Each structure stands twice: as structure tokens, then as C-alpha cells.
């Protein structure tokens, strides 16, 4: 029988076997598989399957369906502990990534993308829940910043190897997919066998939970998912389609992002702790409005790849402040709501993600600039919503409209 420890008892374990150490190990494992897939995707589907904008939009729509179904995690944790479910999901992500190049047709790519997406989204749902349960509120922003930096370091290694060795060693898609996916499977299996299972002091509600007082959090999650699709689907595709970036060039651009992220992510956590979630998110969304408008300018005014590359880096940096959404909910949420609300929030986050990529893929064929202008509008809505967060959010003070009253059930 596996050892089960409370969080208090776990503090007496060796440093490497504590809950926070497990969070860091998972933060290290996930990007290896996911960003191996992401780094190669645009070139792989164009060279092997001759995808166009509509095809890539359809692929990402399929990839987001498991995110839309993330609420099913609520029912899975009735039978499987969150920690176990998260690690098994990581193994599914790694395994599906490893065999991606074995099926270089449209159907095969779609099926494996769906399976890897199940692993990714269910892992992320559980991981967000565990972070909110295991991290102390007073230190959560800083630790989340360090977790982001750890993920960036792992991703940096992936892109650095691809950029440095792709041409000199004549690396193949199959070899790189197999290596990246295999590493994630190995780390997740080690974590599953080597770590005890940790018991949160607050049992999680194992049913669907939707509360009126969380409406602003839900709205911010919805808009975050909508505008994130523009970056995930079309920003990188633009660099390949419009400017002809090769695999190692896309990897090199992303390396710049990651180097900056490793330095800036811990600072972002401190910024959120110092200035509050509202100010951090207002700054993020203001920056994203400007970046997306400038993306449109790349097409309207035919700006060069240098401008597009700078915007790509800035875009990625602004998204780092999204950790403020996690700490906002951690402050307003009931302790037992963390797991069910993480699942519901992931589903809400992916409502737009299910139909936007394929819809915008068709718009892309007519007007790539129009896609980015629409994204600027989405970021503007997020900006307006962020101004409704109070300076000191807490139960009963979830929005600027709410008076500070004792926590209500709904």
C-alpha cells in the first residue's frame, strides 16, 4: 500500500520528497514532451502532411476538445487520487508525443494530437488544483513564479537541443518526438513510484461546483482561453508561413522567450504579490492589446520578420502574468472548491478554444491581419474585466461590486 502523508507530516520528509518538490518535478517533466511537439508541429504538418491554415485550425480545435471536457476530472477523482491522475496524465502526454511521427497522415496526426491533449489538459487541471491546495497563500505568487521558471528551463533545453543539433546531426522528426516523449514518461513514472501520496487538509468536493460569486473568475478564464488560441495557433504559424522560418529558426526564437522567462518569471510572482492581481492583470491585458494590434500591422504595413519576432517575444512574456488568475481564485475560493473549480475553469477556458481555431483558420485564409485584430478586441474585454477585481480579494469581496461580508455558500 502506498504511503499517505498529510501536508504537515510531509514537511518532515527529505527535501526532495516534499509536495513542493513534486510540483517542481512535474513542472520540469510536462514541457519536455509538450514543447517538443509544439516546436516541431508547424514544420512537421507542412512538410509531411501539407497542412494549410484551415487544416492547422482544425488540428487545434481537436487539440482543445479534451480541455473543454476537463470537468470530467471531477468524476475521475472519485476513484483516483488527484496526484496519481496527474502523473498518469503526464505519461499519456509523453507516450502520444513519442509516436507522433509514426502516423504522418491527417487522420493519424489528429488522433495522436487528441490523445496527447487528453494527457496535457487533465494534467494541467490536476496540477492547478494541487498548486492551490499545497502552496501557502502568502508565498503562492513567488513559488508559482519559480515553477514557471522551472518549466521555462526545461523548455529551453528542448529548443536549445533542436536548434543546435537539428542540422549538424541530421535529426529526424521521429527521433526527436521519441526522445522528448520518452523523457516525460520516465520522469512521471519515477514520480509515481518514488513519492508518497499527499493528503490535503481540506477534502475536495467531488461534484460539479459552479458558484455565483466566482462569476468574474469564470469570465476571465473564458476570455483568457479565447485570446490564448491566437498566440498558440497563429503566432508561430505566421513565422513559418509568412517569413519561411525553418525548424531551428523557430526554436531559436523561442529560446529567446525562454531565457527571458527564466529571469522574469520569479519577478512576475513578486510583482503580483507586491501590486496585487488586479494591477498585474490590467498591465498584462494592456500589453496584449498593443501586441495584437501590432501583429495586424505586420500584415497591413508589411513589416519585416524582425518586428514580428520582437512581438512574438513580448506576447509570450505578457502571458506569464496569467499566474495572477490562479492566486486570485486561491484568495476568493473555499478550500474544498479548489479541485472542482479547477476542472470547471479549464472547461470554461476551452469553450471558445473548441470553435475558434477552425473558425479563425478560415478567416486566416482571407485576412491574417483580421485574426490578430479580433484578438486585440478579446484582450480589450479581458482588460475591462480585470478592472473589476478588488485590490484585496477574499471570500465575500470577489469583485469591486461586492461588499466584504462573510463567505456565502453560493
Amino acid at each position: 500500500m502506498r504511503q499517505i502523508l498529510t501536508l504537515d507530516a510531509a514537511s518532515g520528509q527529505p527535501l526532495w520528497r516534499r509536495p513542493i518538490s513534486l510540483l517542481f518535478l512535474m513542472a520540469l517533466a510536462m514541457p519536455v514532451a509538450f514543447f517538443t511537439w509544439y516546436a516541431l508541429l508547424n514544420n512537421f504538418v507542412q512538410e509531411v502532411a501539407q497542412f494549410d491554415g484551415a487544416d492547422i485550425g482544425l488540428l487545434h480545435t481537436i487539440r482543445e476538445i479534451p480541455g473543454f471536457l476537463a470537468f470530467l476530472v471531477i468524476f475521475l477523482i472519485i476513484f483516483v487520487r488527484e496526484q496519481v491522475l496527474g502523473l498518469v496524465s503526464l505519461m499519456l502526454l509523453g507516450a502520444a508525443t513519442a509516436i507522433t511521427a509514426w502516423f504522418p497522415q491527417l487522420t493519424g496526426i489528429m488522433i495522436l494530437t487528441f490523445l496527447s491533449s487528453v494527457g496535457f489538459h487533465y494534467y494541467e487541471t490536476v496540477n492547478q488544483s494541487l498548486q492551490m491546495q499545497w502552496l501557502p497563500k502568502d508565498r503562492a505568487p513567488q513559488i508559482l513564479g519559480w515553477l514557471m521558471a522551472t518549466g521555462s528551463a526545461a523548455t529551453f533545453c528542448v529548443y536549445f537541443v533542436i536548434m543546435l543539433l537539428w542540422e549538424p546531426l541530421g535529426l529526424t522528426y521521429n527521433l526527436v518526438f521519441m526522445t522528448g516523449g520518452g523523457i516525460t514518461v520516465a520522469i512521471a513514472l519515477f514520480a509515481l513510484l518514488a513519492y508518497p501520496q499527499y493528503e490535503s487538509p481540506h477534502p475536495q468536493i467531488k461534484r460539479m461546483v459552479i458558484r455565483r460569486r466566482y462569476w468574474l473568475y469564470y469570465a476571465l478564464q473564458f476570455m483568457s482561453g479565447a485570446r490564448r488560441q491566437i498566440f498558440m495557433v497563429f503566432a508561430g504559424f505566421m513565422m513559418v508561413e509568412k517569413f519561411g522560418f525553418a525548424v531551428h529558426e523557430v526554436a531559436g526564437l523561442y529560446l529567446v522567450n525562454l531565457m527571458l522567462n527564466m529571469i522574469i518569471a520569479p519577478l512576475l510572482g513578486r510583482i503580483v504579490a507586491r501590486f496585487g492581481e488586479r494591477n498585474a492583470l490590467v498591465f498584462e491585458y494592456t500589453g496584449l492589446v498593443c501586441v495584437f494590434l501590432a501583429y495586424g500591422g505586420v500584415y497591413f504595413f508589411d513589416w519585416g520578420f524582425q518586428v514580428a519576432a520582437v512581438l512574438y517575444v513580448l506576447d509570450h512574456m505578457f502571458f506569464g502574468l496569467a499566474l495572477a488568475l490562479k492566486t486570485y481564485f486561491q484568495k476568493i475560493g473555499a478550500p474544498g472548491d479548489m479541485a472542482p473549480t479547477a476542472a470547471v475553469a479549464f472547461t470554461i477556458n476551452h469553450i471558445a478554444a473548441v470553435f475558434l481555431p477552425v473558425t479563425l483558420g478560415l478567416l486566416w485564409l482571407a485576412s491574417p491581419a483580421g485574426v490578430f485584430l479580433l484578438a486585440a478586441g478579446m484582450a480589450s474585454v479581458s482588460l475591462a474585466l480585470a478592472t473589476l477585481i478588488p485590490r484585496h480579494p477574499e471570500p465575500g469581496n470577489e469583485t469591486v461590486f461586492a461588499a466584504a461580508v462573510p463567505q456565502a455558500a453560493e
Side-chain angles (χ1 to χ4, degrees):
M1 183 175 178
R2 298 299 305 278
Q3 183 182 18
I4 299 177
L5 298 177
T6 65
L7 294 185
D8 287 339
S11 63
Q13 291 285 301
L15 181 62
W16 72 271
R17 294 189 84 221
R18 295 178 187 176
I20 291 179
S21 298
L22 178 56
L23 290 177
F24 275 96
L25 186 62
M26 292 192 297
L28 191 70
M30 186 280 289
V32 177
F34 179 77
F35 284 103
T36 294
W37 176 85
Y38 186 68
L40 301 182
L41 176 68
N42 289 317
N43 295 86
F44 179 69
V45 298
Q46 281 204 332
E47 293 175 18
V48 174
Q50 289 78 51
F51 276 28
D52 59 18
D55 293 327
I56 197 72
L58 177 61
L59 177 68
H60 282 278
T61 291
I62 290 174
R63 186 180 71 85
E64 296 298 350
I65 291 174
F68 179 71
L69 299 176
F71 69 91
L72 296 177
V73 167
I74 300 170
F75 305 105
L76 290 176
I77 63 175
I78 296 175
F79 309 102
V80 182
R81 297 178 66 87
E82 284 186 84
Q83 181 177 329
V84 174
L85 178 59
L87 293 172
V88 171
S89 297
L90 264 184
M91 285 189 275
L92 176 58
L93 167 63
T97 300
I99 62 174
T100 294
W102 296 7
F103 302 91
Q105 308 85 18
L106 176 65
T107 302
I109 293 171
M110 297 291 182
I111 292 173
L112 285 174
T113 295
F114 180 84
L115 292 175
S116 66
S117 181
V118 170
F120 171 77
H121 285 101
Y122 280 35
Y123 160 75
E124 282 293 324
T125 301
V126 171
N127 185 50
Q128 180 170 311
S129 171
L130 294 179
Q131 288 174 351
M132 291 189 289
Q133 293 177 61
W134 292 355
L135 299 181
K137 291 183 181 181
D138 58 336
R139 296 176 55 210
Q142 295 93 326
I143 296 175
L144 287 172
W146 282 108
L147 287 169
M148 286 175 55
T150 300
S152 294
T155 312
F156 179 90
C157 292
V158 170
Y159 277 83
F160 184 76
V161 168
I162 291 173
M163 183 189 72
L164 193 67
L165 301 180
W166 183 267
E167 289 191 333
L169 295 186
L171 297 179
T172 64
Y173 289 114
N174 185 51
L175 177 62
V176 178
F177 279 132
M178 286 284 290
T179 302
I183 289 173
T184 294
V185 171
I187 295 175
L189 183 60
F190 168 79
L192 185 64
L193 299 176
Y195 281 82
Q197 295 179 10
Y198 305 112
E199 191 74 62
S200 172
H202 304 286
Q204 297 299 292
I205 298 172
K206 294 178 174 65
R207 57 178 173 79
M208 187 81 72
V209 172
I210 299 178
R211 304 198 190 279
R212 287 192 299 270
R213 65 190 186 88
Y214 299 158
W215 72 266
L216 180 57
Y217 176 67
Y218 298 147
L220 286 166
Q221 283 285 1
F222 175 80
M223 295 308 305
S224 174
R227 61 180 170 69
R228 189 189 73 248
Q229 292 308 306
I230 311 298
F231 176 76
M232 290 293 294
V233 180
F234 297 105
F237 193 71
M238 173 186 69
M239 303 306 295
V240 175
E241 183 183 69
K242 181 174 176 61
F243 299 109
F245 272 40
V247 168
H248 64 285
E249 291 171 326
V250 174
L253 178 60
Y254 210 76
L255 279 179
V256 176
N257 280 344
L258 296 167
M259 291 177 64
L260 292 173
N261 243 30
M262 285 187 286
I263 298 170
I264 293 173
L267 299 178
L268 295 180
R270 294 181 186 177
I271 289 171
V272 173
R274 170 67 178 83
F275 296 102
E277 287 79 9
R278 179 180 62 191
N279 291 334
L281 290 173
V282 165
F283 179 74
E284 176 195 354
Y285 299 143
T286 301
L288 286 174
V289 170
C290 297
V291 166
F292 285 133
L293 288 174
Y295 271 138
V298 169
Y299 282 91
F300 276 127
F301 306 111
D302 202 27
W303 293 336
F305 74 90
Q306 298 91 339
V307 174
V310 170
L311 293 173
Y312 188 85
V313 172
L314 290 174
D315 196 347
H316 193 269
M317 288 171 57
F318 280 120
F319 273 104
L321 283 168
L323 68 88
L325 262 183
K326 293 183 182 180
T327 59
Y328 167 59
F329 180 72
Q330 188 188 39
K331 291 178 179 179
I332 67 171
D337 286 354
M338 298 300 154
T341 304
V344 169
F346 251 76
T347 292
I348 292 172
N349 187 276
H350 287 79
I351 290 174
V354 170
F355 66 84
L356 266 184
V358 66
T359 304
L360 295 183
L362 297 175
L363 175 59
W364 181 271
L365 298 178
S367 174
V371 171
F372 293 120
L373 293 179
L374 183 60
M378 295 175 185
S380 298
V381 174
S382 296
L383 173 60
L385 290 171
T387 62
L388 303 181
I389 298 175
R391 178 63 182 89
H392 299 288
E394 60 184 350
N397 190 36
E398 296 87 2
T399 74
V400 294
F401 303 121
V405 295
Q407 181 176 348
E410 295 295 334

